[in-house]
Amino acid sequence: MHYFAVLCYEIADMSNYNHDFINGELEEIGLYGLIKTKDEGLTPLPKGTFIGEYKFGDKEELKNLLYGEVKKLFESNGLKATVFIAVSEKATIGLDSF
């Protein structure tokens, strides 16, 4: 199946947080902080928000895999965070600044 994933996180203590490093590591697991928009090409998502598209057998397993990878990444870098992950088969998304 084809799935769409959204990751949002909030870092509890920013002292060990390196945004560029975490972005790069999340991209390696298929989560990106940019979205393609109709008029502007790639536009950054709000800080701490990432999206990805996956071909995977089961959405619950994908969610658990992503949680495990993100947890491992954050813990190995001494980061404490609140993490939200949503996985769906269909998604309608949008981005606007005002």
Side-chain angles (χ1 to χ4, degrees):
M1 288 299 289
H2 187 85
Y3 296 109
F4 180 78
V6 176
L7 162 72
C8 298
Y9 67 83
E10 181 177 21
I11 302 295
D13 177 3
M14 300 293 278
S15 60
N16 292 332
Y17 180 66
N18 179 328
H19 184 72
D20 293 333
F21 174 77
I22 295 298
N23 275 5
E25 295 295 303
L26 290 172
E27 285 181 3
E28 287 195 22
I29 61 174
L31 293 164
Y32 300 89
L34 300 170
I35 188 171
K36 190 171 189 173
T37 58
K38 187 168 92 174
D39 300 332
E40 300 177 30
L42 293 175
T43 302
L45 292 167
K47 195 174 234 176
T49 304
F50 294 81
I51 58 173
E53 292 184 65
Y54 299 88
K55 287 190 177 189
F56 208 82
D58 180 79
K59 66 181 168 186
E60 185 74 22
E61 288 179 26
L62 175 58
K63 178 193 64 114
N64 292 338
L65 175 70
L66 292 173
Y67 266 125
E69 291 295 317
V70 171
K71 181 178 180 181
K72 183 170 55 173
L73 170 62
F74 285 10
E75 286 181 345
S76 68
N77 287 281
L79 298 172
K80 294 188 182 292
T82 300
V83 175
F84 169 82
I85 295 178
V87 175
S88 66
E89 293 177 39
K90 297 178 183 177
T92 302
I93 59 173
L95 176 70
D96 201 353
S97 297
F98 43 87

